[in-house]
């Protein structure tokens, strides 16, 4: 037996201000500065714009900076420690 389905239009009466979706960047992250060959020369942990602030090493262009976001400061610090052990400290 075939079913006939009729499309139904539904009108939703939402005021524009009644729905607010805020997309924010996770707060904590680790970052790696890479040279033009992709070799990591600096790792760090931060929030906000730390990855692009002045450091004791040259800040590369954004396409040479890898960031990984973490759920907490403790997780970001643990990952930074891991990266320092992996790549060494300058």
């Amino acid at each position: 037996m075939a079913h006939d389905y009729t499309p139904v239009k539904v009108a939703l009466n939402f005021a524009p201000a009644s729905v607010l979706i805020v997309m924010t960047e996770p707060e904590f992250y680790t970052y790696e500065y890479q040279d033009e060959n992709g070799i990591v020369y600096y790792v760090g942990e931060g929030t906000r714009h730390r990855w692009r602030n002045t450091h004791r090493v040259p800040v590369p262009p954004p396409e040479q900076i890898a960031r990984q976001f973490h759920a907490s400061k403790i997780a970001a610090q643990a990952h930074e420690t891991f990266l320092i052990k992996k790549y060494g400290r300058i």
Side-chain angles (χ1 to χ4, degrees):
M1 181 167 141
H3 294 285
D4 290 325
Y5 294 101
T6 305
V8 176
K9 290 186 179 180
V10 177
L12 300 175
N13 294 320
F14 284 80
S18 66
V19 177
L20 176 63
I21 298 174
V22 178
M23 299 297 289
T24 60
E25 194 172 271
E27 188 174 355
F28 305 102
Y29 58 84
T30 52
Y31 57 98
E32 302 174 9
Y33 287 176
Q34 302 170 356
D35 66 14
E36 48 282 332
N37 298 315
I39 306 297
V40 175
Y41 66 88
Y42 183 83
V43 299
E45 170 265 325
T47 60
R48 304 196 54 173
H49 304 293
R50 175 74 180 136
W51 62 278
R52 62 183 183 196
N53 288 346
T54 303
H55 287 70
R56 59 184 175 90
V57 297
V59 178
E63 59 273 5
Q64 290 174 229
I65 301 173
R67 288 191 296 163
Q68 183 172 350
F69 294 94
H70 304 279
S72 68
K73 182 171 182 66
I74 292 171
Q77 290 171 332
H79 191 244
E80 178 190 30
T81 300
F82 167 79
L83 292 173
I84 290 169
K85 287 179 181 177
K86 179 178 178 179
Y87 297 116
R89 187 178 290 276
I90 298 173

